């Protein structure tokens, strides 16, 4: 699944006479440190792992970074261009057949089962909170699936992804493409598997997502600015506790136990493989996947990696 990459420069060093390689070792280390410093100057929170032959930079990404968040993506572009390899998240792979499946089974995704209403799954207090939001936004969620209601609250009522700039993944992908830096991605999940997982889920399993989405919407747009500011200040626990970040982390597919475990396992595997490679590996990883309890940082630490960077728990 994972393919290691070497840069032309490092290949040249590998085939150079021993005296040249020994004299150049400090230069190589200095170059790697320079890349790390350049990446850190972007202002995005990141962690580093020093290996026997190189360095891994783990950039903690949040989606939908507000334009008001004071970070410098150009510095991340510079670091990307000097890196030997890049690891980025992958989007699900949806086929034309998956689209047809969604069309013909759409009711299973967008509505509650026949005859069921929101009150059948929610406590009186939860239903009252939802009713208040329905009245505020003049919308009826009674028959809508709890997951679709959650998405509607976050995307249309809280409007969390309005006035945003490129995510770190987009910044690094474009820079890597321009500089011909090899990109590795996790194995993409099949659209069929994701849709089956969603269709088979008990509606009640989406209640934690709905509760979090209601909490974020009730808190208002101030939490969007606060999330970006805390991310820029490297206050990782504050970002993780932000109602918006909590809601995004509790909703499908992250909250699906099997998918969540597989996502974390993929990242740990790719980073472990990169630790055996020379030079600098720059990986952009969703912050929640990195810093959640039992997440990628915790798992890497358990495997014996020494991780430098902001406190994440």
């Amino acid at each position: 699944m994972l393919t290691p990459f070497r840069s032309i420069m490092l290949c040249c060093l590998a085939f150079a006479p021993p005296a040249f390689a020994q004299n150049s070792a400090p230069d190589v280390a200095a170059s790697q440190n320079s890349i790390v410093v350049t990446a850190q100057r972007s202002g995005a929170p990141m962690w580093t792992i020093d290996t026997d032959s190189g360095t891994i930079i783990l950039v903690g990404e949040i989606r939908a970074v507000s334009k008001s968040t004071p970070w410098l993506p150009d510095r991340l572009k510079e670091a990307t261009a000097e890196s030997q390899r890049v690891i980025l998240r992958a989007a699900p792979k949806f086929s034309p057949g998956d689209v047809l499946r969604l069309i013909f089974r759409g009711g299973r995704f967008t509505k509650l089962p026949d005859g069921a209403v929101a009150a059948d799954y929610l406590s009186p207090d939860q239903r009252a909170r939802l009713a208040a939001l329905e009245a505020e936004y003049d919308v009826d969620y009674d028959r809508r699936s709890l997951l679709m209601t959650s998405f509607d609250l976050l995307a249309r009522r809280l409007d969390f992804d309005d006035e945003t700039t490129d995510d770190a993944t987009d910044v690094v992908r474009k820079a890597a493409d321009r500089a011909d830096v090899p990109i590795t991605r996790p194995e993409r999940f099949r659209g069929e598997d994701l849709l089956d997982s969603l269709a088979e889920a008990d509606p009640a399993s989406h209640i934690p997502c709905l509760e979090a989405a209601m909490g974020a919407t009730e808190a208002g747009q101030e939490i969007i600015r606060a999330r970006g500011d805390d991310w820029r200040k490297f206050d990782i626990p504050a970002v993780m506790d932000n109602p918006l970040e909590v809601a995004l982390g509790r909703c499908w597919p992250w909250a699906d136990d099997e998918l969540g475990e597989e996502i974390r396992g993929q990242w740990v595997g790719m980073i472990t493989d990169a630790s055996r490679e020379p030079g600098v590996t720059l990986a952009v990883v969703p912050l929640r996947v990195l810093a959640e309890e039992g997440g990628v940082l915790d798992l890497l630490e358990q495997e014996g990696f020494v991780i430098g960077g902001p406190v994440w728990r």
Side-chain angles (χ1 to χ4, degrees):
M1 177 179 72
L2 301 174
T3 306
F5 298 96
R6 290 178 171 84
S7 70
I8 294 175
M9 181 186 72
L10 288 168
C11 285
C12 291
L13 287 173
F15 289 102
F20 177 81
Q22 290 173 3
N23 292 337
S24 299
D27 293 336
V28 173
S31 175
Q32 292 175 3
N33 289 337
S34 176
I35 296 170
V36 172
V37 171
T38 300
Q40 290 172 334
R41 288 173 60 203
S42 71
M46 58 191 67
W47 292 263
T48 57
I49 299 173
D50 291 326
T51 68
D52 292 339
S53 56
T55 300
I56 301 171
I57 304 171
L58 304 175
V59 181
E61 175 186 53
I62 58 171
R63 303 296 299 272
V65 180
S66 172
K67 288 182 178 179
S68 64
T69 300
W71 80 296
L72 302 172
D74 284 347
R75 301 292 182 265
L76 197 54
K77 294 178 185 177
E78 293 174 22
T80 299
E82 297 298 325
S83 299
Q84 278 62 63
R85 66 198 62 80
V86 162
I87 304 175
L88 300 175
R89 56 179 162 80
K93 182 179 181 180
F94 286 93
S95 69
D98 296 328
V99 175
L100 290 175
R101 285 158 58 86
L102 180 61
I103 292 173
F104 289 114
R105 298 169 58 187
R108 296 184 64 180
F109 302 104
T110 61
K111 296 181 182 297
L112 291 170
D114 290 345
V117 293
D120 294 333
Y121 299 95
L122 304 179
S123 69
D125 286 345
Q126 290 168 336
R127 189 63 188 93
R129 290 175 64 194
L130 186 59
L133 290 167
E134 288 176 317
E136 180 176 354
Y137 295 109
D138 190 23
V139 61
D140 183 1
Y141 291 131
D142 205 38
R143 284 279 300 128
R144 197 176 299 189
S145 92
L146 302 183
L147 183 64
M148 293 301 107
T149 294
S150 305
F151 289 165
D152 185 81
L153 288 171
L154 294 173
R156 299 187 63 188
R157 313 309 164 185
L158 182 61
D159 203 13
F160 81 94
D161 57 353
D162 188 32
E163 295 295 320
T164 60
T165 187
D166 283 345
D167 297 328
T169 291
D170 298 322
V171 170
V172 171
R173 175 183 54 79
K174 293 173 184 176
D177 286 342
R178 283 194 297 269
D180 290 328
V181 176
I183 299 175
T184 298
R185 299 178 185 272
E187 182 178 355
R188 291 195 295 176
F189 294 104
R190 292 193 311 156
E192 179 181 358
D193 294 337
L194 293 175
L195 293 177
D196 285 344
S197 169
L198 181 57
E200 294 167 4
D202 185 335
S205 68
H206 298 306
I207 292 177
C209 169
L210 177 61
E211 279 198 296
M214 290 193 294
T217 306
E218 291 162 347
Q221 291 201 328
E222 172 60 23
I223 63 173
I224 301 174
R225 183 198 60 77
R227 174 174 172 258
D229 289 348
D230 289 333
W231 178 75
R232 180 61 184 82
K233 291 186 293 187
F234 311 153
D235 190 345
I236 307 306
V239 176
M240 299 293 282
D241 288 341
N242 183 282
L244 173 56
E245 191 66 23
V246 170
L248 295 175
R250 285 187 184 171
C251 292
W252 181 91
W254 306 114
D256 184 297
D257 289 338
E258 290 186 7
L259 288 177
E261 183 177 353
E262 188 168 352
I263 290 169
R264 289 186 288 272
Q266 286 182 342
W267 281 107
V268 170
M270 289 188 297
I271 294 165
T272 299
D273 286 348
S275 71
R276 305 184 186 101
E277 297 298 324
V280 175
T281 300
L282 193 153
V284 182
V285 190
L287 182 63
R288 180 151 295 276
V289 176
L290 270 177
E292 66 185 342
E293 184 176 357
V296 170
L297 289 173
D298 284 349
L299 293 173
L300 290 171
E301 195 174 58
Q302 290 171 16
E303 291 192 8
F305 288 101
V306 178
I307 302 170
V311 173
W312 69 87
R313 60 176 182 268

